[in-house]
Amino acid sequence: MSQIFYVPTKVFSGSGCVVQHAAAFGTLGRRALVVTGRRSAVASGALGDVKEALAAQGITCEVFDGIPPNPGFTEVREAAALARETGADFIVAIGGGSPLDAAKAVAVLATNDLSDDEVLDPLLARAPLPRPPLPVAAIPTTAGTGSEVTPYSILTNDKLQTKSSLSHESLFPKLAFLDARYTGSLPRQVTVNTALDALSHLVEGTLAKRGTVLSGSLAAQGLSQLAPGLRFLTEHETPTAEVRERLLLASCVAGLVIAHTGTTAVHGLGYSLTYFKNIDHGRANALTLGVYLEAMEKGNRENVESILRARGLADVRAFRTLVDALLGPREHLTADEVTRFAALAIRTRNIGNTPTPPDVEEIQRWYAESLP
Ligand code: NAP
Ligand code: FE
């Protein structure tokens, strides 16, 4: 069967890359809207660098800093209105996955009049958007989602009480800047949770039905890159500059993987944990990752072995021990929550992309065992 590999994002990496490659912003337009969270852009130092780079190119800029974690349509529509008012011709997204994902939806709604339902309609992904979205330059300040190289925007969907994915080929950021100095201000818990998100992307990407030869080799490379970083985090409180660089690169590689493979059951189960229990996205995935890998082992031994090999681990039990060390004490779900969350998870598209898809009883077992 034929396969496609497509990532149209120009990725700059290395310390100081935003200012050094300021000219790249000039290719996107003359007026920018920076879309970011409440503190991360300033705390990380990224906003200072972006302002310097834009000023050097004579580009004017407005800042929208109202994107919360797990953003929804309210904030996205506010930012899109500002983009229209100020006549922005491109967006600079600074932050973790939340501002990066929000910025992609802002880019769509700045140029298109669409309802929330129309934005999230899977049919939207299959045809050109009515009008092209504004181009996006993405600057991650967490090392986990890889959103800087994916065409996905994950938005909180209150109507369906879950997180829903907007996916469109035109939403790949045009530019991405990876500077690990920006992750230096992260609290430990966010560093750990986001690293676990990258791990989930690489594990799920290796197993996903939609996996290809190229995504598989990237995933193996990403796992080898990530493994020493994760081990370091189990042994030390604060990552060194070198470890942060490794985590940021691995997260981007994981993004390249899921841009092609999508995610599987683990992400499908994670959405309710975030929506109803307010558990951070990366942690929500990592909680069920061990049980999932064990369940996948029977039908997909070769792929599971390649994951363990790339991580330098003997068996699934060693994998679970390592993830446990990073997670610490686990949250608890009531029997009623297990039933309700499993009923929602089975309906996600992620289940169909799982190599050995679980039925609803198996999902209940995964939840109950993972959040005892
Ligand atoms: P996040 O929600 O973007 O950020 C978590 C917290 O970390 C926020 O409070 C944020 O502060 C803070 N923070 C970020 N960078 C910081 C820095 N350098 N220094 C200090 N604080 C910083 O977390 P995330 O895990 O990166 O993103 C999660 C979101 O991404 C979820 O919505 C998830 O669904 C989505 N996601 C998307 C993809 C994709 O392919 N598009 C893949 C996986 C996950 P502020 O509030 O100030 O920003
Ligand atoms: Fe994720």
Side-chain angles (χ1 to χ4, degrees):
M1 208 170 77
S2 64
Q3 300 185 332
I4 300 174
F5 190 90
Y6 178 70
V7 178
T9 308
K10 187 182 265 188
V11 183
F12 300 95
S13 58
S15 180
C17 62
V18 167
V19 171
Q20 223 172 311
H21 296 283
F25 291 105
T27 63
L28 303 185
R30 309 308 306 159
R31 281 167 205 251
L33 177 69
V34 173
V35 172
T36 187
R38 306 238 154 88
R39 288 175 314 273
S40 50
V42 176
S44 64
L47 185 60
D49 285 354
V50 164
K51 284 187 169 167
E52 183 183 334
L54 296 179
Q57 297 300 308
I59 297 170
T60 59
C61 99
E62 294 282 334
V63 178
F64 181 91
D65 61 1
I67 304 296
N70 304 305
F73 278 100
T74 311
E75 306 84 29
V76 163
R77 287 195 182 280
E78 258 179 67
L82 185 61
R84 288 184 186 209
E85 257 168 52
T86 57
D89 21 53
F90 69 102
I91 310 278
V92 182
I94 304 176
S98 297
L100 266 50
D101 281 12
K104 295 174 190 173
V106 171
V108 170
L109 289 171
T111 54
N112 292 280
D113 293 312
L114 296 169
S115 69
D116 297 2
D117 286 346
E118 284 169 331
V119 169
L120 295 176
D121 188 339
L123 288 178
L124 191 79
R126 304 211 189 113
L129 291 175
R131 292 199 195 86
L134 296 182
V136 173
I139 306 175
T141 64
T142 63
T145 70
S147 178
E148 67 276 9
V149 291
T150 72
Y152 311 130
S153 166
I154 320 287
L155 297 173
T156 294
N157 182 346
D158 288 320
K159 198 166 162 190
L160 297 182
Q161 296 198 308
T162 186
K163 299 194 68 172
S164 297
S165 170
L166 156 65
S167 166
H168 199 277
E169 196 171 284
S170 65
L171 289 186
F172 277 108
K174 294 282 178 287
L175 308 173
F177 295 87
L178 307 183
D179 187 335
R181 288 178 310 155
Y182 301 149
T183 63
S185 53
L186 281 173
R188 170 171 169 92
Q189 218 43 60
V190 181
T191 302
V192 169
N193 290 343
T194 47
L196 288 169
D197 191 23
L199 174 64
S200 301
H201 295 163
L202 291 165
V203 168
E204 292 177 73
T206 304
L207 292 164
K209 275 189 186 161
R210 285 166 50 198
T212 66
V213 175
L214 283 170
S215 68
S217 29
L218 272 172
Q221 172 60 34
L223 283 163
S224 317
Q225 177 79 9
L226 186 65
L230 283 179
R231 194 162 293 286
F232 189 93
L233 290 177
T234 62
E235 292 159 359
H236 304 85
E237 184 66 20
T238 314
T240 60
E242 192 200 325
V243 168
R244 283 190 282 105
E245 212 159 282
R246 180 181 277 287
L247 294 174
L248 188 60
L249 277 177
S251 157
C252 183
V253 171
L256 295 172
V257 171
I258 59 165
H260 295 88
T261 64
T263 53
T264 66
V266 170
H267 271 67
L269 269 70
Y271 293 140
S272 281
L273 299 179
T274 299
Y275 190 88
F276 295 104
K277 306 289 283 185
N278 206 20
I279 299 176
D280 284 355
H281 173 73
R283 181 176 175 84
N285 296 327
L287 282 166
T288 60
L289 194 57
V291 176
Y292 165 83
L293 195 60
E294 199 173 74
M296 292 302 116
E297 199 178 15
K298 289 172 212 99
N300 312 276
R301 190 165 297 278
E302 222 176 275
N303 277 339
V304 172
E305 275 170 7
S306 85
I307 290 167
L308 297 171
R309 224 178 8 255
R311 297 281 326 269
L313 296 168
D315 51 25
V316 174
R317 186 198 294 242
F319 179 95
R320 292 184 71 164
T321 305
L322 202 126
V323 173
D324 281 347
L326 288 167
L327 283 175
R330 289 164 177 265
E331 291 81 350
H332 163 72
L333 292 186
T334 63
D336 174 59
E337 284 171 332
V338 166
T339 310
R340 280 195 296 125
F341 297 176
L344 288 168
I346 192 79
R347 292 209 296 264
T348 61
R349 276 180 274 166
N350 308 60
I351 300 299
N353 193 30
T354 307
T356 319
D359 59 18
V360 76
E361 283 80 24
E362 190 167 11
I363 295 176
Q364 288 177 1
R365 186 179 67 74
W366 291 358
Y367 271 132
E369 198 180 313
S370 304
L371 291 93

mmCIF file of all heavy atoms in Angstrom, residues 76-120:
data_model
loop_
_atom_site.group_PDB
_atom_site.id
_atom_site.type_symbol
_atom_site.label_atom_id
_atom_site.label_comp_id
_atom_site.label_asym_id
_atom_site.label_seq_id
_atom_site.Cartn_x
_atom_site.Cartn_y
_atom_site.Cartn_z
ATOM 1 N N VAL A 76 -10.430 31.323 22.110
ATOM 2 C CA VAL A 76 -10.006 31.286 20.711
ATOM 3 C C VAL A 76 -10.755 32.351 19.905
ATOM 4 O O VAL A 76 -10.167 33.075 19.097
ATOM 5 C CB VAL A 76 -10.251 29.866 20.140
ATOM 6 C CG1 VAL A 76 -10.233 29.873 18.624
ATOM 7 C CG2 VAL A 76 -9.204 28.890 20.679
ATOM 8 N N ARG A 77 -12.060 32.475 20.175
ATOM 9 C CA ARG A 77 -12.846 33.480 19.425
ATOM 10 C C ARG A 77 -12.430 34.905 19.798
ATOM 11 O O ARG A 77 -12.400 35.788 18.953
ATOM 12 C CB ARG A 77 -14.346 33.265 19.645
ATOM 13 C CG ARG A 77 -14.857 32.032 18.906
ATOM 14 C CD ARG A 77 -16.361 31.990 18.788
ATOM 15 N NE ARG A 77 -16.775 30.767 18.123
ATOM 16 C CZ ARG A 77 -16.752 30.582 16.796
ATOM 17 N NH1 ARG A 77 -16.353 31.572 15.998
ATOM 18 N NH2 ARG A 77 -17.118 29.420 16.258
ATOM 19 N N GLU A 78 -12.099 35.112 21.086
ATOM 20 C CA GLU A 78 -11.619 36.443 21.503
ATOM 21 C C GLU A 78 -10.345 36.817 20.752
ATOM 22 O O GLU A 78 -10.202 37.935 20.253
ATOM 23 C CB GLU A 78 -11.264 36.407 23.000
ATOM 24 C CG GLU A 78 -12.278 37.015 23.934
ATOM 25 C CD GLU A 78 -11.795 36.874 25.369
ATOM 26 O OE1 GLU A 78 -10.788 37.498 25.739
ATOM 27 O OE2 GLU A 78 -12.430 36.096 26.123
ATOM 28 N N ALA A 79 -9.425 35.861 20.681
ATOM 29 C CA ALA A 79 -8.145 36.132 20.007
ATOM 30 C C ALA A 79 -8.355 36.321 18.505
ATOM 31 O O ALA A 79 -7.717 37.177 17.881
ATOM 32 C CB ALA A 79 -7.163 34.988 20.268
ATOM 33 N N ALA A 80 -9.281 35.546 17.931
ATOM 34 C CA ALA A 80 -9.545 35.672 16.491
ATOM 35 C C ALA A 80 -10.143 37.050 16.178
ATOM 36 O O ALA A 80 -9.809 37.676 15.153
ATOM 37 C CB ALA A 80 -10.493 34.569 16.025
ATOM 38 N N ALA A 81 -10.984 37.546 17.092
ATOM 39 C CA ALA A 81 -11.571 38.883 16.896
ATOM 40 C C ALA A 81 -10.460 39.933 16.913
ATOM 41 O O ALA A 81 -10.453 40.867 16.097
ATOM 42 C CB ALA A 81 -12.597 39.165 17.986
ATOM 43 N N LEU A 82 -9.499 39.762 17.822
ATOM 44 C CA LEU A 82 -8.383 40.715 17.897
ATOM 45 C C LEU A 82 -7.533 40.645 16.618
ATOM 46 O O LEU A 82 -7.070 41.667 16.108
ATOM 47 C CB LEU A 82 -7.524 40.429 19.135
ATOM 48 C CG LEU A 82 -6.390 41.413 19.414
ATOM 49 C CD1 LEU A 82 -6.929 42.835 19.659
ATOM 50 C CD2 LEU A 82 -5.563 40.979 20.633
ATOM 51 N N ALA A 83 -7.348 39.430 16.104
ATOM 52 C CA ALA A 83 -6.568 39.275 14.859
ATOM 53 C C ALA A 83 -7.237 40.044 13.721
ATOM 54 O O ALA A 83 -6.585 40.724 12.932
ATOM 55 C CB ALA A 83 -6.446 37.795 14.500
ATOM 56 N N ARG A 84 -8.576 39.956 13.671
ATOM 57 C CA ARG A 84 -9.308 40.682 12.606
ATOM 58 C C ARG A 84 -9.204 42.187 12.808
ATOM 59 O O ARG A 84 -8.911 42.926 11.881
ATOM 60 C CB ARG A 84 -10.782 40.278 12.611
ATOM 61 C CG ARG A 84 -10.995 38.876 12.080
ATOM 62 C CD ARG A 84 -12.477 38.554 12.014
ATOM 63 N NE ARG A 84 -12.668 37.159 11.627
ATOM 64 C CZ ARG A 84 -13.714 36.707 10.976
ATOM 65 N NH1 ARG A 84 -14.683 37.538 10.639
ATOM 66 N NH2 ARG A 84 -13.815 35.433 10.654
ATOM 67 N N GLU A 85 -9.456 42.625 14.068
ATOM 68 C CA GLU A 85 -9.425 44.065 14.381
ATOM 69 C C GLU A 85 -8.101 44.708 14.027
ATOM 70 O O GLU A 85 -8.054 45.821 13.527
ATOM 71 C CB GLU A 85 -9.573 44.244 15.908
ATOM 72 C CG GLU A 85 -10.929 44.669 16.403
ATOM 73 C CD GLU A 85 -10.955 44.504 17.921
ATOM 74 O OE1 GLU A 85 -10.049 45.012 18.612
ATOM 75 O OE2 GLU A 85 -11.878 43.802 18.401
ATOM 76 N N THR A 86 -7.020 43.975 14.347
ATOM 77 C CA THR A 86 -5.693 44.568 14.158
ATOM 78 C C THR A 86 -5.136 44.264 12.775
ATOM 79 O O THR A 86 -4.018 44.663 12.455
ATOM 80 C CB THR A 86 -4.703 44.033 15.221
ATOM 81 O OG1 THR A 86 -4.674 42.597 15.136
ATOM 82 C CG2 THR A 86 -5.132 44.434 16.620
ATOM 83 N N GLY A 87 -5.891 43.543 11.968
ATOM 84 C CA GLY A 87 -5.449 43.236 10.601
ATOM 85 C C GLY A 87 -4.192 42.376 10.567
ATOM 86 O O GLY A 87 -3.332 42.541 9.692
ATOM 87 N N ALA A 88 -4.094 41.453 11.546
ATOM 88 C CA ALA A 88 -2.894 40.597 11.610
ATOM 89 C C ALA A 88 -2.778 39.763 10.344
ATOM 90 O O ALA A 88 -3.792 39.256 9.851
ATOM 91 C CB ALA A 88 -2.983 39.672 12.824
ATOM 92 N N ASP A 89 -1.553 39.652 9.784
ATOM 93 C CA ASP A 89 -1.443 38.706 8.673
ATOM 94 C C ASP A 89 -0.724 37.423 9.043
ATOM 95 O O ASP A 89 -0.601 36.537 8.207
ATOM 96 C CB ASP A 89 -0.880 39.291 7.367
ATOM 97 C CG ASP A 89 -0.080 40.542 7.491
ATOM 98 O OD1 ASP A 89 0.874 40.542 8.294
ATOM 99 O OD2 ASP A 89 -0.414 41.497 6.802
ATOM 100 N N PHE A 90 -0.273 37.328 10.294
ATOM 101 C CA PHE A 90 0.165 36.012 10.773
ATOM 102 C C PHE A 90 0.124 35.960 12.291
ATOM 103 O O PHE A 90 -0.038 36.979 12.952
ATOM 104 C CB PHE A 90 1.541 35.628 10.219
ATOM 105 C CG PHE A 90 2.714 36.442 10.731
ATOM 106 C CD1 PHE A 90 3.560 35.919 11.704
ATOM 107 C CD2 PHE A 90 2.989 37.696 10.223
ATOM 108 C CE1 PHE A 90 4.657 36.643 12.162
ATOM 109 C CE2 PHE A 90 4.071 38.443 10.685
ATOM 110 C CZ PHE A 90 4.918 37.909 11.652
ATOM 111 N N ILE A 91 0.233 34.715 12.806
ATOM 112 C CA ILE A 91 0.157 34.484 14.252
ATOM 113 C C ILE A 91 1.505 33.945 14.729
ATOM 114 O O ILE A 91 2.088 33.070 14.081
ATOM 115 C CB ILE A 91 -0.899 33.395 14.582
ATOM 116 C CG1 ILE A 91 -2.245 33.673 13.901
ATOM 117 C CG2 ILE A 91 -1.048 33.213 16.091
ATOM 118 C CD1 ILE A 91 -3.140 34.635 14.581
ATOM 119 N N VAL A 92 1.970 34.467 15.853
ATOM 120 C CA VAL A 92 3.121 33.853 16.526
ATOM 121 C C VAL A 92 2.584 33.199 17.795
ATOM 122 O O VAL A 92 2.051 33.889 18.668
ATOM 123 C CB VAL A 92 4.213 34.884 16.889
ATOM 124 C CG1 VAL A 92 5.405 34.183 17.550
ATOM 125 C CG2 VAL A 92 4.676 35.660 15.654
ATOM 126 N N ALA A 93 2.687 31.883 17.867
ATOM 127 C CA ALA A 93 2.180 31.140 19.029
ATOM 128 C C ALA A 93 3.342 30.845 19.964
ATOM 129 O O ALA A 93 4.359 30.296 19.533
ATOM 130 C CB ALA A 93 1.553 29.828 18.561
ATOM 131 N N ILE A 94 3.195 31.242 21.226
ATOM 132 C CA ILE A 94 4.258 30.974 22.217
ATOM 133 C C ILE A 94 3.640 30.241 23.402
ATOM 134 O O ILE A 94 2.658 30.728 23.979
ATOM 135 C CB ILE A 94 4.870 32.285 22.760
ATOM 136 C CG1 ILE A 94 5.406 33.172 21.625
ATOM 137 C CG2 ILE A 94 5.990 31.977 23.753
ATOM 138 C CD1 ILE A 94 5.940 34.526 22.111
ATOM 139 N N GLY A 95 4.218 29.095 23.779
ATOM 140 C CA GLY A 95 3.735 28.433 24.988
ATOM 141 C C GLY A 95 3.785 26.932 24.899
ATOM 142 O O GLY A 95 4.426 26.350 24.010
ATOM 143 N N GLY A 96 3.047 26.317 25.802
ATOM 144 C CA GLY A 96 2.887 24.875 25.746
ATOM 145 C C GLY A 96 1.890 24.532 24.657
ATOM 146 O O GLY A 96 1.498 25.389 23.850
ATOM 147 N N GLY A 97 1.441 23.276 24.664
ATOM 148 C CA GLY A 97 0.492 22.832 23.653
ATOM 149 C C GLY A 97 -0.795 23.652 23.658
ATOM 150 O O GLY A 97 -1.423 23.832 22.614
ATOM 151 N N SER A 98 -1.180 24.176 24.828
ATOM 152 C CA SER A 98 -2.451 24.910 24.893
ATOM 153 C C SER A 98 -2.433 26.162 24.014
ATOM 154 O O SER A 98 -3.297 26.307 23.139
ATOM 155 C CB SER A 98 -2.801 25.246 26.349
ATOM 156 O OG SER A 98 -2.997 24.043 27.067
ATOM 157 N N PRO A 99 -1.485 27.092 24.204
ATOM 158 C CA PRO A 99 -1.443 28.252 23.301
ATOM 159 C C PRO A 99 -1.138 27.875 21.848
ATOM 160 O O PRO A 99 -1.671 28.503 20.919
ATOM 161 C CB PRO A 99 -0.318 29.118 23.874
ATOM 162 C CG PRO A 99 -0.199 28.720 25.301
ATOM 163 C CD PRO A 99 -0.530 27.262 25.332
ATOM 164 N N LEU A 100 -0.298 26.843 21.630
ATOM 165 C CA LEU A 100 0.028 26.473 20.242
ATOM 166 C C LEU A 100 -1.221 25.947 19.520
ATOM 167 O O LEU A 100 -1.515 26.336 18.380
ATOM 168 C CB LEU A 100 1.150 25.416 20.214
ATOM 169 C CG LEU A 100 2.596 25.939 20.064
ATOM 170 C CD1 LEU A 100 2.918 27.049 21.038
ATOM 171 C CD2 LEU A 100 3.618 24.823 20.170
ATOM 172 N N ASP A 101 -1.967 25.079 20.211
ATOM 173 C CA ASP A 101 -3.200 24.553 19.601
ATOM 174 C C ASP A 101 -4.234 25.666 19.413
ATOM 175 O O ASP A 101 -4.894 25.749 18.378
ATOM 176 C CB ASP A 101 -3.816 23.467 20.497
ATOM 177 C CG ASP A 101 -3.102 22.138 20.350
ATOM 178 O OD1 ASP A 101 -2.019 22.105 19.749
ATOM 179 O OD2 ASP A 101 -3.642 21.125 20.839
ATOM 180 N N ALA A 102 -4.364 26.515 20.437
ATOM 181 C CA ALA A 102 -5.338 27.609 20.336
ATOM 182 C C ALA A 102 -5.001 28.483 19.138
ATOM 183 O O ALA A 102 -5.893 28.885 18.376
ATOM 184 C CB ALA A 102 -5.329 28.439 21.619
ATOM 185 N N ALA A 103 -3.714 28.764 18.945
ATOM 186 C CA ALA A 103 -3.298 29.657 17.854
ATOM 187 C C ALA A 103 -3.730 29.125 16.483
ATOM 188 O O ALA A 103 -4.092 29.894 15.590
ATOM 189 C CB ALA A 103 -1.784 29.836 17.896
ATOM 190 N N LYS A 104 -3.715 27.792 16.338
ATOM 191 C CA LYS A 104 -4.116 27.212 15.047
ATOM 192 C C LYS A 104 -5.610 27.459 14.799
ATOM 193 O O LYS A 104 -6.022 27.786 13.687
ATOM 194 C CB LYS A 104 -3.819 25.711 15.019
ATOM 195 C CG LYS A 104 -2.332 25.389 15.101
ATOM 196 C CD LYS A 104 -2.131 23.884 15.212
ATOM 197 C CE LYS A 104 -0.700 23.526 15.545
ATOM 198 N NZ LYS A 104 -0.535 22.080 15.814
ATOM 199 N N ALA A 105 -6.413 27.315 15.856
ATOM 200 C CA ALA A 105 -7.854 27.571 15.705
ATOM 201 C C ALA A 105 -8.102 29.061 15.483
ATOM 202 O O ALA A 105 -8.984 29.446 14.701
ATOM 203 C CB ALA A 105 -8.592 27.072 16.945
ATOM 204 N N VAL A 106 -7.303 29.908 16.146
ATOM 205 C CA VAL A 106 -7.405 31.363 15.925
ATOM 206 C C VAL A 106 -7.117 31.663 14.452
ATOM 207 O O VAL A 106 -7.819 32.457 13.812
ATOM 208 C CB VAL A 106 -6.394 32.129 16.830
ATOM 209 C CG1 VAL A 106 -6.339 33.606 16.460
ATOM 210 C CG2 VAL A 106 -6.750 31.962 18.309
ATOM 211 N N ALA A 107 -6.097 30.996 13.913
ATOM 212 C CA ALA A 107 -5.713 31.223 12.517
ATOM 213 C C ALA A 107 -6.865 30.902 11.563
ATOM 214 O O ALA A 107 -7.080 31.597 10.565
ATOM 215 C CB ALA A 107 -4.486 30.366 12.179
ATOM 216 N N VAL A 108 -7.632 29.849 11.897
ATOM 217 C CA VAL A 108 -8.779 29.461 11.057
ATOM 218 C C VAL A 108 -9.915 30.478 11.199
ATOM 219 O O VAL A 108 -10.488 30.937 10.200
ATOM 220 C CB VAL A 108 -9.314 28.068 11.475
ATOM 221 C CG1 VAL A 108 -10.631 27.752 10.783
ATOM 222 C CG2 VAL A 108 -8.288 26.991 11.156
ATOM 223 N N LEU A 109 -10.208 30.863 12.460
ATOM 224 C CA LEU A 109 -11.380 31.726 12.705
ATOM 225 C C LEU A 109 -11.097 33.194 12.397
ATOM 226 O O LEU A 109 -12.027 33.993 12.290
ATOM 227 C CB LEU A 109 -11.860 31.540 14.140
ATOM 228 C CG LEU A 109 -12.513 30.168 14.376
ATOM 229 C CD1 LEU A 109 -12.782 29.935 15.856
ATOM 230 C CD2 LEU A 109 -13.810 30.024 13.572
ATOM 231 N N ALA A 110 -9.825 33.547 12.236
ATOM 232 C CA ALA A 110 -9.507 34.924 11.828
ATOM 233 C C ALA A 110 -9.913 35.154 10.374
ATOM 234 O O ALA A 110 -10.182 36.274 9.974
ATOM 235 C CB ALA A 110 -8.019 35.191 12.023
ATOM 236 N N THR A 111 -9.969 34.083 9.593
ATOM 237 C CA THR A 111 -10.265 34.256 8.160
ATOM 238 C C THR A 111 -11.573 33.584 7.737
ATOM 239 O O THR A 111 -12.020 33.772 6.610
ATOM 240 C CB THR A 111 -9.118 33.655 7.296
ATOM 241 O OG1 THR A 111 -8.919 32.302 7.697
ATOM 242 C CG2 THR A 111 -7.830 34.428 7.462
ATOM 243 N N ASN A 112 -12.168 32.778 8.636
ATOM 244 C CA ASN A 112 -13.383 32.034 8.260
ATOM 245 C C ASN A 112 -14.493 32.251 9.280
ATOM 246 O O ASN A 112 -14.236 32.239 10.483
ATOM 247 C CB ASN A 112 -13.089 30.529 8.203
ATOM 248 C CG ASN A 112 -12.166 30.156 7.064
ATOM 249 O OD1 ASN A 112 -12.589 30.030 5.920
ATOM 250 N ND2 ASN A 112 -10.879 30.007 7.363
ATOM 251 N N ASP A 113 -15.733 32.425 8.788
ATOM 252 C CA ASP A 113 -16.887 32.497 9.686
ATOM 253 C C ASP A 113 -17.462 31.095 9.823
ATOM 254 O O ASP A 113 -18.204 30.633 8.948
ATOM 255 C CB ASP A 113 -17.952 33.436 9.110
ATOM 256 C CG ASP A 113 -17.453 34.873 9.104
ATOM 257 O OD1 ASP A 113 -16.937 35.314 10.154
ATOM 258 O OD2 ASP A 113 -17.540 35.528 8.050
ATOM 259 N N LEU A 114 -17.096 30.411 10.889
ATOM 260 C CA LEU A 114 -17.557 29.034 11.093
ATOM 261 C C LEU A 114 -18.091 28.885 12.510
ATOM 262 O O LEU A 114 -17.554 29.490 13.445
ATOM 263 C CB LEU A 114 -16.389 28.053 10.905
ATOM 264 C CG LEU A 114 -15.743 27.950 9.517
ATOM 265 C CD1 LEU A 114 -14.444 27.148 9.600
ATOM 266 C CD2 LEU A 114 -16.701 27.277 8.539
ATOM 267 N N SER A 115 -19.126 28.062 12.679
ATOM 268 C CA SER A 115 -19.630 27.774 14.026
ATOM 269 C C SER A 115 -18.677 26.777 14.702
ATOM 270 O O SER A 115 -17.852 26.148 14.030
ATOM 271 C CB SER A 115 -21.033 27.167 13.935
ATOM 272 O OG SER A 115 -20.936 25.873 13.365
ATOM 273 N N ASP A 116 -18.833 26.600 16.020
ATOM 274 C CA ASP A 116 -17.990 25.631 16.742
ATOM 275 C C ASP A 116 -18.142 24.243 16.121
ATOM 276 O O ASP A 116 -17.158 23.526 15.919
ATOM 277 C CB ASP A 116 -18.387 25.565 18.226
ATOM 278 C CG ASP A 116 -18.178 26.893 18.948
ATOM 279 O OD1 ASP A 116 -17.772 27.869 18.291
ATOM 280 O OD2 ASP A 116 -18.436 26.938 20.171
ATOM 281 N N ASP A 117 -19.396 23.866 15.840
ATOM 282 C CA ASP A 117 -19.645 22.536 15.270
ATOM 283 C C ASP A 117 -18.966 22.384 13.909
ATOM 284 O O ASP A 117 -18.422 21.327 13.588
ATOM 285 C CB ASP A 117 -21.151 22.289 15.102
ATOM 286 C CG ASP A 117 -21.813 22.035 16.451
ATOM 287 O OD1 ASP A 117 -21.069 21.791 17.429
ATOM 288 O OD2 ASP A 117 -23.050 22.097 16.525
ATOM 289 N N GLU A 118 -19.022 23.445 13.102
ATOM 290 C CA GLU A 118 -18.385 23.366 11.774
ATOM 291 C C GLU A 118 -16.873 23.212 11.910
ATOM 292 O O GLU A 118 -16.240 22.454 11.177
ATOM 293 C CB GLU A 118 -18.710 24.633 10.957
ATOM 294 C CG GLU A 118 -20.127 24.630 10.412
ATOM 295 C CD GLU A 118 -20.550 25.983 9.836
ATOM 296 O OE1 GLU A 118 -20.048 27.040 10.296
ATOM 297 O OE2 GLU A 118 -21.394 25.979 8.934
ATOM 298 N N VAL A 119 -16.271 23.915 12.894
ATOM 299 C CA VAL A 119 -14.817 23.822 13.086
ATOM 300 C C VAL A 119 -14.421 22.389 13.438
ATOM 301 O O VAL A 119 -13.401 21.875 12.963
ATOM 302 C CB VAL A 119 -14.342 24.803 14.189
ATOM 303 C CG1 VAL A 119 -12.898 24.531 14.581
ATOM 304 C CG2 VAL A 119 -14.495 26.247 13.731
ATOM 305 N N LEU A 120 -15.235 21.731 14.275
ATOM 306 C CA LEU A 120 -14.869 20.392 14.752
ATOM 307 C C LEU A 120 -15.420 19.264 13.879
ATOM 308 O O LEU A 120 -15.184 18.090 14.155
ATOM 309 C CB LEU A 120 -15.354 20.206 16.199
ATOM 310 C CG LEU A 120 -14.665 21.126 17.220
ATOM 311 C CD1 LEU A 120 -15.282 20.940 18.599
ATOM 312 C CD2 LEU A 120 -13.164 20.860 17.277
#
